[in-house]
């Protein structure tokens, strides 16, 4: 079942492998026994978040003073993401909580805000979401219509957000809203909206092609009064904060992509060795053998690039351009490998009950969220002076 990059790699130290075992134990004990039910219900149990907190898998980079792991080394989140994919479990919820929201709240908040939110996020008592996308605004955040108007000691929030990961379970939602609409993208601020805030309502649980266990819904804000003390950082600085966080977010998506593709290839290799046609294993036919050899090579190259980007992120040097490169390349590769692996599985791969069919469906959104492939290429093209 394992391929050459599935075990320890040279840049991972013994402490990372110990952490890998912690991740595997958590997934085996707390996730896998319930995952099929979560897939049917479209949401995970809140108890799994508390279990993740007890295992030290939330807020890995957050200061221990607030209950976090105090470990800035991105190799730890990368290990967790990869093990989630090898367990064929749901990734977006944990990734959004750890690699997007916890980072915003650890880096951009005041001491009082950190004390209010971070201990709960690290313990799994509070579940986090980020609300940027809107029905008429996706990859271009400058088009968002949600507004936040200052009124005394509060902001009055009005608008609608969609495709919100953890939206139904979330206790803390980081919302992007325009506080100076006349300034376009330069007039966006980030506000934390807490569960139970009057004017916040949650829409229907969205039925998706894949990632069924990841709760996704719409959020509505109708004269929602958010305390001014819930403003993250400075007013109208939201775009800069989001741009600063995008390299990490996109690297996390790339890490998931490579982990998922590795698992699909390992499963397909095993199938190709045991499934027979015309009296011999299908993997011995040249076309299939060459397909498997090509995918193995492509994934090795992709992992090298991901590892390079992890090194750059840990050094504070990962650029928006390189993050765009690793995001679009690995996610498009994931979709391509899912398609080729399903083809090798043949009719069995098309059955809804098969693991490869589920991974095929899960893979498709990877080239869309976090910035579409087309937007990534646009960013790269601009970096070339075009």
């Amino acid at each position: 079942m394992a391929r050459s990059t599935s075990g320890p790699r040279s840049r991972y130290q013994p402490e990372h492998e110990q952490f890998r075992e912690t991740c595997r134990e958590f997934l085996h004990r707390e996730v896998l026994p319930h995952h099929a039910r979560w897939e049917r219900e479209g949401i995970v149990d809140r108890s799994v978040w508390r279990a993740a907190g007890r295992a030290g898998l939330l807020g890995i980079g957050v200061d221990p003073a607030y209950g976090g792991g105090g470990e800035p080394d991105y190799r730890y989140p990368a290990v967790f993401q990869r093990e989630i994919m090898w367990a064929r479990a749901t990734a977006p919820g944990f990734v959004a909580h750890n690699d997007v929201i916890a980072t915003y709240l650890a880096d951009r908040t005041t001491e009082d805000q950190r004390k209010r939110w971070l201990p709960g996020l690290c313990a799994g008592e509070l579940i986090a979401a980020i609300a940027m996308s809107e029905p008429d605004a996706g990859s271009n955040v400058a088009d968002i219509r949600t507004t936040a108007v200052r009124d005394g000691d509060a902001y009055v929030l009005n608008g609608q957000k969609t495709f919100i990961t953890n939206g139904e379970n979330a206790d803390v939602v980081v919302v992007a809203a325009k506080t100076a609409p006349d300034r376009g993208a330069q007039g966006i601020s980030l506000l934390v909206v807490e569960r139970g805030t009057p004017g916040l309502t949650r829409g229907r649980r969205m039925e998706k092609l894949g990632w069924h266990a990841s709760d996704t819904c719409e959020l509505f804000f109708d004269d929602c009064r958010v305390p001014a003390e819930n403003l993250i950082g400075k007013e109208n600085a939201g775009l800069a904060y989001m741009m600063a966080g995008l390299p990490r977010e996109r690297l996390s998506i790339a890490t998931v992509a490579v982990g998922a593709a590795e698992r699909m290839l390992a499963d397909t290799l095993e199938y190709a060795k045991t499934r027979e046609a015309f009296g011999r294993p299908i993997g011995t036919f040249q076309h299939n053998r060459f397909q498997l050899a090509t995918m193995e090579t492509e994934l090795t190259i992709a992992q090298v690039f991901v590892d390079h980007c992890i090194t750059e992120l840990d050094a504070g040097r990962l650029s928006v351009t390189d993050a765009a490169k690793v995001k679009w390349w690995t996610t498009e590769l994931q979709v391509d490998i899912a398609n080729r692996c399903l083809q090798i599985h043949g009719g069995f791969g098309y059955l809804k009950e098969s693991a490869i069919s589920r991974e095929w469906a899960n893979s498709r959104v990877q080239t869309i969220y976090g910035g579409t492939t087309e937007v990534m290429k646009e960013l790269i093209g601009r970096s070339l002076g075009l």
Side-chain angles (χ1 to χ4, degrees):
M1 184 175 67
R3 62 180 289 275
S4 59
T5 59
S6 66
R9 294 190 298 271
S10 59
R11 69 182 313 276
Y12 284 82
Q13 305 302 317
E15 55 268 28
H16 299 108
E17 299 310 320
Q18 293 172 6
F19 182 70
R20 190 185 305 280
E21 290 304 315
T22 298
C23 296
R24 288 175 176 172
E25 181 182 351
F26 163 76
L27 292 163
H28 179 76
R29 184 182 66 249
E30 304 289 351
V31 174
L32 296 185
H34 313 289
H35 197 265
R37 173 172 59 83
W38 295 342
E39 286 274 287
R40 293 192 301 270
E41 295 175 354
I43 193 169
V44 303
D45 296 336
R46 290 182 64 90
S47 60
V48 76
W49 290 92
R50 293 189 288 272
R54 290 192 298 271
L57 301 178
L58 301 179
I60 296 169
V62 173
D63 192 317
Y66 309 108
E71 183 48 76
D73 183 352
Y74 190 77
R75 285 176 289 183
Y76 287 97
V79 165
F80 186 31
Q81 291 156 14
R82 184 187 177 282
E83 293 309 316
I84 292 173
M85 300 318 303
W86 269 72
R88 303 194 191 94
T90 296
F94 285 128
V95 172
H97 184 101
N98 266 342
D99 291 304
V100 182
I101 301 98
T103 301
Y104 279 121
L105 297 185
D107 295 346
R108 304 293 180 182
T109 48
T110 65
E111 176 67 11
D112 286 343
Q113 290 173 331
R114 289 192 288 272
K115 288 179 179 178
R116 284 172 57 196
W117 297 315
L118 288 179
L121 292 177
C122 295
E125 296 294 336
L126 297 178
I127 300 171
I130 189 161
M132 293 186 185
S133 295
E134 299 182 3
D136 297 317
S139 297
N140 185 8
V141 295
D143 291 337
I144 66 172
R145 298 181 180 179
T146 298
T147 59
V149 178
R150 185 68 183 260
D151 181 27
D153 60 356
Y155 287 91
V156 180
L157 190 63
N158 282 283
Q160 176 183 353
K161 299 292 183 177
T162 193
F163 308 130
I164 308 306
T165 299
N166 294 339
E168 189 170 345
N169 261 335
D171 305 289
V172 174
V173 184
V174 177
V175 180
K178 284 188 174 175
T179 42
D182 58 316
R183 294 178 58 184
Q186 303 305 316
I188 294 174
S189 299
L190 300 181
L191 296 165
V192 172
V193 181
E194 298 168 276
R195 179 180 289 276
T197 301
L200 166 64
T201 57
R202 302 168 202 254
R204 62 184 176 87
R205 188 179 299 170
M206 297 175 133
E207 296 185 10
K208 308 180 296 297
L209 176 66
W211 292 129
H212 296 142
S214 176
D215 70 290
T216 308
C217 72
E218 296 175 300
L219 299 177
F220 301 91
F221 307 96
D222 184 14
D223 288 336
C224 182
R225 291 188 66 85
V226 181
E229 63 188 22
N230 285 20
L231 174 70
I232 295 180
K234 298 180 180 179
E235 190 175 88
N236 301 324
L239 179 65
Y241 299 154
M242 287 187 284
M243 291 299 293
L246 281 175
R248 183 184 180 103
E249 177 183 355
R250 288 169 178 164
L251 178 57
S252 71
I253 296 172
T255 305
V256 167
V258 173
E262 284 182 350
R263 182 63 205 235
M264 287 187 286
L265 178 56
D267 289 346
T268 304
L269 180 60
E270 186 68 22
Y271 183 81
K273 290 178 178 179
T274 57
R275 173 66 172 172
E276 293 192 354
F278 303 102
R280 57 177 172 146
I282 63 173
T284 64
F285 290 96
Q286 186 184 67
H287 175 78
N288 289 337
R289 190 167 67 248
F290 281 15
Q291 285 280 1
L292 292 164
T294 300
M295 288 187 281
E296 168 70 18
T297 304
E298 290 169 335
L299 272 176
T300 300
I301 294 168
Q303 186 63 69
V304 170
F305 189 25
V306 167
D307 285 347
H308 166 75
C309 289
I310 291 173
T311 299
E312 292 297 288
L313 181 73
D314 282 345
R317 297 191 300 258
L318 182 60
S319 67
V320 171
T321 302
D322 277 354
K325 291 176 182 178
V326 76
K327 195 274 179 184
W328 89 258
W329 178 258
T330 57
T331 56
E332 290 288 347
L333 179 62
Q334 179 188 359
V335 170
D336 190 29
I337 285 179
N339 195 50
R340 283 182 278 173
C341 286
L342 192 148
Q343 184 72 19
I344 292 174
H345 276 79
F348 290 104
Y350 196 65
L351 296 178
K352 190 175 181 180
E353 65 193 47
S354 73
I356 191 63
S357 75
R358 293 192 298 274
E359 291 306 313
W360 180 84
N362 289 345
S363 69
R364 192 59 189 85
V365 74
Q366 288 273 92
T367 64
I368 299 172
Y369 62 12
T372 65
T373 292
E374 293 75 17
V375 170
M376 297 301 96
K377 291 181 178 180
E378 182 68 23
L379 291 173
I380 298 164
R382 291 177 184 177
S383 77
L384 300 174
L386 300 173

